[in-house]
Amino acid sequence: MEIALVGIGKIAVDQHVPAIAASDEWSLAATVSRQGAVEGVTGYTNFDQMLAERPDIRVVSLCVPPGPRFDYAVAALRAGRHVMLEKPPGATLAECYQLEALARENRVALFATWHSREAAGVAQAKEWLIGKRLRRLSVTWREDVHRWHPGQAWIWEPAGMGVFDPGINALSIVTEILPDPIHLTSADLDIPSNCQTPIGARLNFYHPHGAEVTADFDWRQTGDQIWTIDVETDQGTLSLLNGGATVVIDGQQIDMAGTNTLSGEYPRLYRRMAELVRQGGVDVDLSPMIHVTDALALGRRTVVDPFFD
Amino acid sequence: MEIALVGIGKIAVDQHVPAIAASDEWSLAATVSRQGAVEGVTGYTNFDQMLAERPDIRVVSLCVPPGPRFDYAVAALRAGRHVMLEKPPGATLAECYQLEALARENRVALFATWHSREAAGVAQAKEWLIGKRLRRLSVTWREDVHRWHPGQAWIWEPAGMGVFDPGINALSIVTEILPDPIHLTSADLDIPSNCQTPIGARLNFYHPHGAEVTADFDWRQTGDQIWTIDVETDQGTLSLLNGGATVVIDGQQIDMAGTNTLSGEYPRLYRRMAELVRQGGVDVDLSPMIHVTDALALGRRTVVDPFFD
């Protein structure tokens, strides 16, 4: 299947282009980008022109930032194209619901991707949790913003989400593996005095069986970088380490070799997109974004030291 | 039908109790409140006790603040009772989705009320807009917080919503009368230096046909109090004044006498609840709350003068 990739920035070059190249289901037929390009692939700067000139390209993958993404998605869906969205699926929740409705109206596939859900250990953690009684789940997502997001001024602007940009990845895993729904009860947000979004956030969630569910997101971590989810149940403990890539059950690291027929988060996303296109399916789970929006809306804000890139 | 009223505060005494008393469909069988009571009606202080002792009361109306409301609603739904919720239906969006799922699971009625949608002119405004092309819609909701919310410290705390507490009423009307979905594109929030929630907010919305949709909410209004929605279309103008009670079309005030068989917002809410109980229906439209949550999450915050009650 031919696909067009829109927004040739870091995430497209690092993840999307190699995943498409390695796939035997997909062929990169065009790119749309103001500055970026992929060697050997027809490049457009105008999205509407690409849609008009290339009716043969039935699928569009959007890697532009959440701000402008809505207009691209609407144009593609109205033009009858199947659409794949980088995370988060939009800047506002309201627009995401509109995209979902528009996809159903136009009978095309729409996939709001959460790449961390495809990390090697997530499926196994989800399966392990079935039938166990949760006592505690704690997320620790602590990284150095200077190292991972240099020069990205937009993360500090209102729609940029701040530390929830990585934090939403953790919440996409939590909402995938937990059998029961949770909701925010309180949040504390640390906002640098010269920014609009948090550099640190501590979240508490309600769990229907009374388990203690918390998340600690921080961008001020120096030294070891931590992307861990620790789970305690009535029948043992499980930890997801390295953003979901590694599983430790009752202290024993599990060998993940051979558990997935396809290796890598993005290759698995593109395989799922191929399934959705064949079925005309809509896969839009907004729960990670609902929790982040609830936390940004309801969090108690404390002003902290200014941030300098 | 017998009904129990939970949370006997100002809104219950001013609106719910008289609406139930005036109805020939409802009978107030019990109240649950720590301090409040209604003369001649059995009063409970413990909600679980009321549920256990009064299986004959099949319907519960919750007027407690959004913070503790979730636990009451869960207890009532799990006990097989039909539930009516004051606005907003919860503190977080995630919990509202859970209540909706729980009502469907337990096959009982759930009504997330928006009383302003029952204002006398709203149905007429909605009908008038059908088939017209919207050019502009502007909300002006400016009131004096000292006059309408004296001593309500909770409105300045994270879940209290600040000026969106009245503002969500305007958005409940806008989302009711507009035929097309909108979503927030930007918001500016004025936050008093000693508070967590806004005293003023200016919102801009995307409209699918390019109409200019804005809202101006302010709690610092002295003198005339304004609750107006002005609409401009290709076929004339309409204004909803006094919070939706009055309709002016092309400069002419419309006589609303006789357009509604039942007078008053709350009597109409209770009539609708009676219908839902008979049908086992779920009426939960979260769109007003989605817009407020989006605005609180994405709004650009500016610190303004401290607020003193």
Side-chain angles (χ1 to χ4, degrees):
Chain A
M1 280 181 282
E2 301 210 305
I3 192 167
L5 199 53
V6 184
I8 308 300
K10 183 169 163 48
I11 190 76
V13 171
D14 289 355
Q15 300 289 351
H16 291 258
V17 173
I20 294 168
S23 166
D24 48 18
E25 296 179 294
W26 293 105
S27 159
L28 184 57
T31 62
V32 183
S33 189
R34 264 177 296 184
Q35 277 127 25
V38 175
E39 217 185 298
V41 178
T42 314
Y44 289 83
T45 52
N46 184 305
F47 187 56
D48 291 328
Q49 188 192 348
M50 190 282 290
L51 289 173
E53 289 183 7
R54 299 299 299 272
D56 55 309
I57 304 177
R58 305 306 306 157
V59 186
V60 170
S61 180
L62 297 181
C63 310
V64 290
R69 197 179 295 154
F70 179 79
D71 288 330
Y72 286 98
V74 168
L77 294 170
R78 282 200 202 284
R81 305 308 209 279
H82 307 287
V83 173
M84 178 164 159
L85 301 169
E86 245 301 342
K87 66 98 196 178
T92 61
L93 280 168
E95 75 189 66
C96 296
Y97 289 107
Q98 283 176 49
L99 292 182
E100 196 180 339
L102 205 56
R104 293 187 197 280
E105 245 174 61
N106 287 277
R107 296 165 186 275
V108 291
L110 179 64
F111 185 16
T113 67
W114 300 106
H115 65 81
S116 290
R117 286 185 173 176
E118 302 296 338
V122 171
Q124 182 148 1
K126 180 177 183 167
E127 199 185 326
W128 183 86
L129 270 163
I130 295 170
K132 296 188 174 66
R133 190 172 177 92
L134 187 71
R135 286 189 181 143
R136 201 175 60 82
L137 181 149
S138 60
V139 174
T140 311
W141 228 249
R142 300 179 73 97
E143 60 179 46
D144 182 353
V145 65
H146 291 287
R147 183 162 155 196
W148 303 101
H149 302 273
Q152 293 183 14
W154 63 272
I155 55 180
W156 302 110
E157 291 297 306
M161 281 195 178
V163 75
F164 288 109
D165 177 72
I168 203 168
N169 295 336
L171 293 173
S172 77
I173 296 176
V174 170
T175 49
E176 175 68 17
I177 65 175
L178 279 190
D180 295 297
I182 56 172
H183 68 260
L184 192 87
T185 48
S186 67
D188 284 290
L189 310 179
D190 298 334
I191 316 280
S193 58
N194 58 345
C195 298
Q196 287 285 328
T197 58
I199 195 165
R202 291 161 303 282
L203 279 53
N204 295 297
F205 290 91
Y206 169 99
H207 182 272
H209 305 141
E212 185 189 303
V213 178
T214 59
D216 175 4
F217 301 144
D218 210 297
W219 255 349
R220 292 162 293 195
Q221 179 80 0
T222 52
D224 282 354
Q225 306 289 290
I226 306 172
W227 299 282
T228 297
I229 299 173
D230 290 309
V231 179
E232 195 183 309
T233 74
D234 62 340
Q235 297 167 57
T237 63
L238 176 146
S239 294
L240 276 168
L241 310 177
N242 308 319
T246 307
V247 185
V248 176
I249 295 178
D250 296 330
Q252 289 283 109
Q253 185 170 332
I254 306 299
D255 182 8
M256 302 304 297
T259 55
N260 287 289
T261 55
L262 191 63
S263 138
E265 297 178 2
Y266 282 82
R268 287 198 281 271
L269 289 181
Y270 276 94
R271 183 175 56 186
R272 170 81 180 130
M273 183 63 189
E275 283 170 23
L276 287 172
V277 168
R278 282 190 290 265
Q279 304 157 357
V282 173
D283 183 342
V284 179
D285 174 13
L286 298 179
S287 57
M289 189 160 158
I290 289 171
H291 294 313
V292 168
T293 310
D294 278 340
L296 283 168
L298 298 179
R300 182 175 295 278
R301 288 163 190 245
T302 304
V303 175
V304 299
D305 290 346
F307 175 80
F308 300 106
D309 208 358
Chain B
M1 278 180 286
E2 301 211 306
I3 191 166
L5 199 53
V6 184
I8 307 299
K10 182 168 164 49
I11 190 76
V13 171
D14 289 355
Q15 301 289 351
H16 292 258
V17 173
I20 294 168
S23 165
D24 48 19
E25 295 179 295
W26 294 104
S27 158
L28 185 57
T31 61
V32 183
S33 189
R34 265 178 296 185
Q35 277 128 26
V38 175
E39 216 184 298
V41 177
T42 313
Y44 290 83
T45 53
N46 183 305
F47 187 55
D48 290 327
Q49 188 193 350
M50 190 282 290
L51 289 173
E53 290 183 8
R54 299 298 300 271
D56 55 309
I57 303 178
R58 305 306 306 157
V59 187
V60 170
S61 180
L62 298 181
C63 309
V64 289
R69 197 178 297 154
F70 179 79
D71 288 330
Y72 286 97
V74 168
L77 294 169
R78 282 201 202 285
R81 304 311 209 278
H82 307 288
V83 173
M84 178 164 160
L85 302 169
E86 245 301 342
K87 66 96 195 176
T92 61
L93 281 170
E95 76 189 65
C96 296
Y97 290 106
Q98 283 177 50
L99 292 182
E100 197 180 339
L102 205 57
R104 294 188 196 279
E105 244 173 63
N106 287 277
R107 297 165 184 275
V108 291
L110 179 64
F111 185 15
T113 66
W114 300 106
H115 65 80
S116 290
R117 287 185 173 176
E118 302 297 338
V122 171
Q124 181 149 1
K126 180 177 182 165
E127 200 185 328
W128 183 85
L129 269 163
I130 295 170
K132 296 187 175 66
R133 189 169 178 92
L134 187 71
R135 287 188 180 143
R136 202 176 59 81
L137 182 150
S138 61
V139 174
T140 310
W141 228 249
R142 300 179 72 98
E143 60 179 47
D144 183 353
V145 66
H146 291 287
R147 183 161 155 196
W148 303 101
H149 301 273
Q152 293 183 14
W154 63 273
I155 56 179
W156 302 109
E157 291 299 306
M161 283 194 180
V163 76
F164 288 109
D165 177 72
I168 203 168
N169 296 334
L171 293 173
S172 77
I173 296 176
V174 169
T175 49
E176 174 69 17
I177 65 174
L178 279 189
D180 296 296
I182 55 172
H183 67 260
L184 192 87
T185 48
S186 68
D188 285 290
L189 309 179
D190 298 335
I191 315 280
S193 58
N194 59 344
C195 298
Q196 288 285 328
T197 57
I199 196 166
R202 291 159 303 282
L203 279 52
N204 294 298
F205 289 92
Y206 169 99
H207 182 271
H209 304 141
E212 185 189 302
V213 178
T214 59
D216 175 5
F217 301 144
D218 210 298
W219 255 349
R220 293 163 293 195
Q221 179 80 0
T222 51
D224 280 354
Q225 306 288 292
I226 307 172
W227 299 282
T228 297
I229 300 173
D230 289 308
V231 179
E232 194 184 309
T233 75
D234 62 340
Q235 298 168 56
T237 63
L238 176 145
S239 294
L240 275 168
L241 310 177
N242 308 319
T246 307
V247 185
V248 175
I249 295 177
D250 297 329
Q252 289 283 108
Q253 185 170 330
I254 307 300
D255 182 6
M256 302 304 296
T259 55
N260 287 289
T261 54
L262 191 62
S263 138
E265 297 179 1
Y266 282 81
R268 286 197 284 269
L269 288 180
Y270 275 94
R271 182 175 58 186
R272 171 80 181 130
M273 183 63 188
E275 283 170 23
L276 287 172
V277 168
R278 282 191 289 267
Q279 304 157 359
V282 173
D283 183 342
V284 179
D285 174 13
L286 298 179
S287 57
M289 189 160 159
I290 289 171
H291 294 312
V292 168
T293 311
D294 278 339
L296 282 169
L298 298 179
R300 182 176 294 277
R301 287 163 189 244
T302 305
V303 175
V304 299
D305 290 346
F307 175 80
F308 299 106
D309 209 357

Coordinates of all heavy atoms in Angstrom, one line a residue, chain B residues 197-251:
Chain B
T197 N -7.8 29.3 40.2 CA -8.7 29.2 39.0 C -8.9 30.6 38.5 O -8.7 31.6 39.2 CB -10.0 28.6 39.5 OG1 -10.5 29.4 40.5 CG2 -9.9 27.2 39.9
P198 N -9.4 30.8 37.2 CA -9.5 32.1 36.6 C -10.6 33.0 37.1 O -11.7 32.4 37.4 CB -9.6 31.8 35.1 CG -10.1 30.4 35.0 CD -9.6 29.7 36.3
I199 N -10.4 34.3 37.1 CA -11.4 35.2 37.4 C -12.0 35.8 36.1 O -13.0 36.5 36.0 CB -10.9 36.3 38.3 CG1 -12.1 37.2 39.0 CG2 -9.9 37.3 37.6 CD1 -11.7 38.0 40.1
G200 N -11.2 35.6 35.0 CA -11.6 36.1 33.7 C -11.0 35.1 32.6 O -10.0 34.5 32.8
A201 N -11.7 34.9 31.5 CA -11.3 34.0 30.4 C -11.8 34.5 29.1 O -13.0 34.9 29.0 CB -11.7 32.6 30.7
R202 N -11.0 34.5 28.1 CA -11.4 34.8 26.7 C -11.0 33.7 25.8 O -9.9 33.2 25.8 CB -10.7 36.1 26.3 CG -11.2 37.4 27.1 CD -10.3 38.5 27.0 NE -9.0 38.2 27.5 CZ -8.7 38.1 28.8 NH1 -9.6 38.3 29.8 NH2 -7.4 37.8 29.2
L203 N -12.0 33.1 25.2 CA -11.9 31.9 24.4 C -12.1 32.1 22.9 O -13.0 32.9 22.5 CB -12.9 30.8 24.9 CG -12.6 30.0 26.2 CD1 -12.2 30.9 27.3 CD2 -13.8 29.2 26.5
N204 N -11.3 31.4 22.1 CA -11.6 31.4 20.6 C -11.8 30.0 20.2 O -11.0 29.1 20.6 CB -10.3 32.0 19.9 CG -10.2 33.5 20.2 OD1 -11.0 34.3 19.9 ND2 -9.0 33.8 20.8
F205 N -12.8 29.8 19.3 CA -13.1 28.5 18.9 C -13.0 28.3 17.3 O -13.2 29.3 16.6 CB -14.6 28.1 19.2 CG -14.8 27.9 20.7 CD1 -15.1 29.0 21.5 CD2 -14.6 26.7 21.3 CE1 -15.3 28.8 22.9 CE2 -14.8 26.5 22.6 CZ -15.2 27.5 23.4
Y206 N -12.6 27.1 16.9 CA -12.7 26.8 15.5 C -14.1 26.4 15.2 O -14.8 25.7 15.9 CB -11.8 25.6 15.3 CG -11.9 24.9 14.0 CD1 -10.9 25.1 13.0 CD2 -12.9 23.9 13.7 CE1 -11.0 24.5 11.7 CE2 -13.0 23.3 12.5 CZ -12.1 23.6 11.5 OH -12.1 22.9 10.3
H207 N -14.6 26.9 14.0 CA -15.9 26.5 13.5 C -15.7 25.9 12.1 O -15.0 26.5 11.3 CB -16.8 27.7 13.5 CG -18.2 27.4 13.0 ND1 -18.6 27.4 11.7 CD2 -19.3 27.0 13.7 CE1 -19.9 27.0 11.6 NE2 -20.3 26.8 12.8
P208 N -16.4 24.8 11.8 CA -16.1 24.1 10.6 C -16.4 24.9 9.3 O -15.7 24.7 8.3 CB -17.0 22.8 10.6 CG -17.9 23.0 11.8 CD -17.3 24.0 12.7
H209 N -17.3 25.9 9.4 CA -17.5 26.7 8.2 C -16.9 28.1 8.3 O -17.2 29.0 7.6 CB -19.0 26.9 8.0 CG -19.7 25.6 7.8 ND1 -20.9 25.3 8.4 CD2 -19.3 24.4 7.3 CE1 -21.3 24.1 8.1 NE2 -20.3 23.5 7.4
G210 N -15.9 28.2 9.2 CA -15.1 29.4 9.3 C -15.8 30.6 10.1 O -15.3 31.7 10.1
A211 N -16.9 30.3 10.7 CA -17.5 31.4 11.5 C -16.6 31.8 12.7 O -15.8 31.0 13.2 CB -18.9 31.0 12.1
E212 N -16.7 33.0 13.2 CA -15.9 33.5 14.3 C -16.7 33.2 15.6 O -17.7 33.8 15.8 CB -15.7 35.0 14.1 CG -14.8 35.7 15.1 CD -14.8 37.2 14.9 OE1 -14.5 37.7 13.8 OE2 -15.2 37.9 15.9
V213 N -16.1 32.3 16.4 CA -16.8 31.9 17.6 C -16.0 32.3 18.8 O -14.8 31.8 18.9 CB -17.2 30.4 17.6 CG1 -17.9 30.0 18.9 CG2 -18.1 30.1 16.4
T214 N -16.5 33.1 19.7 CA -15.7 33.6 20.9 C -16.5 33.6 22.1 O -17.7 33.6 22.1 CB -15.1 35.0 20.6 OG1 -16.3 35.9 20.4 CG2 -14.2 35.1 19.4
A215 N -15.8 33.6 23.3 CA -16.5 33.7 24.6 C -15.7 34.6 25.5 O -14.4 34.5 25.5 CB -16.7 32.4 25.2
D216 N -16.4 35.5 26.2 CA -15.7 36.4 27.1 C -16.4 36.2 28.5 O -17.6 36.6 28.6 CB -15.9 37.9 26.6 CG -15.4 38.9 27.6 OD1 -14.8 38.5 28.6 OD2 -15.6 40.1 27.3
F217 N -15.7 35.6 29.4 CA -16.2 35.3 30.7 C -15.5 36.2 31.7 O -14.3 36.2 31.7 CB -16.0 33.9 31.2 CG -16.6 32.8 30.2 CD1 -15.9 31.6 30.0 CD2 -17.8 33.0 29.6 CE1 -16.5 30.7 29.2 CE2 -18.4 32.1 28.8 CZ -17.7 30.9 28.6
D218 N -16.2 36.9 32.5 CA -15.5 37.8 33.5 C -16.3 37.9 34.8 O -17.6 38.1 34.8 CB -15.3 39.2 32.9 CG -14.0 39.8 33.5 OD1 -14.0 40.0 34.8 OD2 -13.0 40.0 32.8
W219 N -15.6 37.8 35.9 CA -16.3 37.9 37.2 C -16.0 39.3 37.9 O -16.3 39.4 39.1 CB -15.7 36.8 38.2 CG -16.6 35.6 38.4 CD1 -17.9 35.6 38.1 CD2 -16.3 34.4 39.0 NE1 -18.5 34.4 38.4 CE2 -17.5 33.6 39.0 CE3 -15.1 33.8 39.6 CZ2 -17.5 32.3 39.6 CZ3 -15.2 32.6 40.1 CH2 -16.4 31.8 40.1
R220 N -15.4 40.2 37.2 CA -15.1 41.5 37.7 C -16.0 42.6 37.3 O -15.7 43.8 37.3 CB -13.6 41.9 37.4 CG -12.6 40.9 38.0 CD -11.2 41.0 37.3 NE -11.3 40.5 36.0 CZ -10.2 40.2 35.2 NH1 -9.0 40.4 35.7 NH2 -10.4 39.7 34.0
Q221 N -17.2 42.1 36.8 CA -18.2 43.1 36.3 C -19.0 43.8 37.4 O -19.6 43.2 38.2 CB -19.2 42.3 35.4 CG -20.3 43.2 34.8 CD -19.8 43.9 33.5 OE1 -18.6 43.8 33.2 NE2 -20.7 44.7 32.9
T222 N -18.9 45.1 37.4 CA -19.7 45.9 38.4 C -20.8 46.5 37.5 O -20.8 46.5 36.3 CB -18.9 46.9 39.1 OG1 -18.2 47.7 38.1 CG2 -17.9 46.3 40.1
G223 N -21.9 47.0 38.2 CA -23.0 47.6 37.4 C -23.8 46.5 36.7 O -24.0 45.4 37.3
D224 N -24.2 46.8 35.5 CA -25.0 45.8 34.7 C -24.4 44.5 34.6 O -23.2 44.4 34.2 CB -25.3 46.4 33.3 CG -26.4 47.4 33.3 OD1 -27.0 47.7 34.3 OD2 -26.6 48.0 32.2
Q225 N -25.2 43.5 34.9 CA -24.7 42.1 34.8 C -25.1 41.6 33.4 O -26.3 41.8 33.0 CB -25.3 41.2 35.9 CG -25.0 41.8 37.3 CD -23.6 41.6 37.7 OE1 -23.1 40.6 38.0 NE2 -22.9 42.8 37.8
I226 N -24.2 40.9 32.7 CA -24.5 40.5 31.3 C -24.4 39.0 31.1 O -23.3 38.5 31.4 CB -23.5 41.2 30.4 CG1 -23.5 42.8 30.6 CG2 -23.8 40.9 28.9 CD1 -22.4 43.5 29.8
W227 N -25.4 38.4 30.6 CA -25.4 37.0 30.2 C -26.0 36.9 28.8 O -27.2 36.6 28.7 CB -26.2 36.1 31.2 CG -25.6 36.2 32.6 CD1 -24.6 35.5 33.1 CD2 -26.2 36.9 33.7 NE1 -24.4 35.8 34.5 CE2 -25.4 36.6 34.9 CE3 -27.3 37.8 33.9 CZ2 -25.7 37.2 36.1 CZ3 -27.6 38.3 35.1 CH2 -26.8 38.0 36.2
T228 N -25.2 37.2 27.8 CA -25.7 37.3 26.5 C -25.0 36.4 25.5 O -23.8 36.2 25.6 CB -25.5 38.8 26.0 OG1 -26.3 39.6 26.9 CG2 -25.9 39.0 24.6
I229 N -25.7 35.9 24.5 CA -25.1 35.2 23.3 C -25.6 35.9 22.1 O -26.8 35.9 21.9 CB -25.4 33.7 23.3 CG1 -24.9 33.0 24.6 CG2 -24.9 33.0 22.1 CD1 -25.4 31.6 24.8
D230 N -24.7 36.5 21.3 CA -25.1 37.2 20.0 C -24.7 36.3 18.9 O -23.6 35.9 18.8 CB -24.4 38.5 19.9 CG -24.9 39.5 20.9 OD1 -26.2 39.7 21.0 OD2 -24.1 40.1 21.7
V231 N -25.7 36.1 17.9 CA -25.4 35.3 16.8 C -25.7 36.1 15.5 O -26.7 36.7 15.4 CB -26.4 34.0 16.8 CG1 -26.2 33.2 15.6 CG2 -26.2 33.2 18.1
E232 N -24.8 35.9 14.5 CA -25.0 36.6 13.3 C -24.9 35.5 12.2 O -24.0 34.8 12.1 CB -23.8 37.6 13.1 CG -24.0 38.6 12.0 CD -22.7 39.5 11.9 OE1 -22.2 40.0 13.0 OE2 -22.2 39.6 10.8
T233 N -25.9 35.5 11.3 CA -26.0 34.5 10.2 C -26.2 35.2 8.9 O -26.3 36.5 8.8 CB -27.1 33.5 10.4 OG1 -28.3 34.2 10.1 CG2 -27.2 33.0 11.8
D234 N -26.2 34.4 7.8 CA -26.5 35.0 6.5 C -27.9 35.4 6.3 O -28.3 36.1 5.4 CB -26.1 34.0 5.4 CG -26.9 32.7 5.5 OD1 -27.5 32.4 6.6 OD2 -27.0 31.9 4.5
Q235 N -28.8 35.0 7.3 CA -30.2 35.4 7.2 C -30.7 36.1 8.5 O -31.7 35.7 9.0 CB -31.0 34.1 7.0 CG -30.7 33.4 5.7 CD -31.3 32.0 5.7 OE1 -32.5 31.8 5.8 NE2 -30.5 31.0 5.5
G236 N -29.9 37.0 9.0 CA -30.3 37.8 10.1 C -29.5 37.5 11.4 O -28.6 36.7 11.4
T237 N -30.0 38.2 12.5 CA -29.3 38.0 13.8 C -30.2 37.6 14.9 O -31.4 37.8 14.8 CB -28.7 39.4 14.2 OG1 -29.8 40.3 14.4 CG2 -27.7 40.0 13.2
L238 N -29.6 37.0 15.9 CA -30.4 36.5 17.0 C -29.5 36.8 18.3 O -28.3 36.6 18.3 CB -30.7 35.0 16.9 CG -31.4 34.4 18.1 CD1 -32.4 33.3 17.6 CD2 -30.4 33.7 19.1
S239 N -30.2 37.3 19.3 CA -29.5 37.4 20.6 C -30.3 36.7 21.7 O -31.5 36.8 21.7 CB -29.4 38.9 21.0 OG -28.5 39.5 20.1
L240 N -29.6 35.9 22.5 CA -30.2 35.3 23.7 C -29.7 36.2 24.9 O -28.5 36.4 25.1 CB -29.7 33.9 23.9 CG -30.4 32.8 23.2 CD1 -29.6 31.5 23.2 CD2 -31.8 32.6 23.8
L241 N -30.6 36.8 25.6 CA -30.3 37.7 26.7 C -30.7 37.0 28.0 O -31.4 36.1 28.0 CB -31.1 39.0 26.6 CG -30.9 39.7 25.2 CD1 -31.8 41.0 25.2 CD2 -29.5 40.0 24.9
N242 N -30.2 37.6 29.1 CA -30.5 37.1 30.5 C -30.3 35.6 30.6 O -31.2 34.9 31.1 CB -32.0 37.5 30.8 CG -32.2 39.0 30.6 OD1 -31.4 39.8 30.9 ND2 -33.4 39.3 30.0
G243 N -29.2 35.1 30.1 CA -28.9 33.7 30.3 C -29.7 32.8 29.5 O -29.8 31.6 29.8
G244 N -30.3 33.3 28.5 CA -31.1 32.4 27.6 C -32.6 32.6 27.8 O -33.4 32.0 27.1
A245 N -33.0 33.5 28.7 CA -34.5 33.6 29.0 C -35.2 34.4 28.0 O -36.4 34.3 27.8 CB -34.6 34.3 30.4
T246 N -34.4 35.3 27.3 CA -35.1 36.3 26.4 C -34.4 36.1 25.0 O -33.2 36.0 24.8 CB -34.8 37.7 26.8 OG1 -35.2 37.8 28.2 CG2 -35.5 38.7 25.9
V247 N -35.3 36.1 23.9 CA -34.8 36.0 22.6 C -35.1 37.3 21.8 O -36.3 37.7 21.8 CB -35.5 34.8 21.8 CG1 -34.8 34.6 20.4 CG2 -35.3 33.5 22.6
V248 N -34.1 37.8 21.1 CA -34.3 38.9 20.2 C -33.9 38.5 18.8 O -32.7 38.1 18.6 CB -33.5 40.2 20.7 CG1 -33.7 41.3 19.7 CG2 -34.0 40.6 22.1
I249 N -34.8 38.6 17.8 CA -34.5 38.2 16.5 C -34.6 39.4 15.6 O -35.6 40.1 15.6 CB -35.4 37.1 16.0 CG1 -35.2 35.8 16.8 CG2 -35.2 36.8 14.5 CD1 -36.1 34.6 16.4
D250 N -33.5 39.7 14.9 CA -33.4 40.9 14.0 C -33.9 42.2 14.8 O -34.7 43.0 14.2 CB -34.2 40.7 12.7 CG -33.6 39.6 11.9 OD1 -32.3 39.4 12.0 OD2 -34.3 38.9 11.2
G251 N -33.5 42.3 16.0 CA -33.9 43.5 16.8 C -35.2 43.4 17.5 O -35.6 44.3 18.3

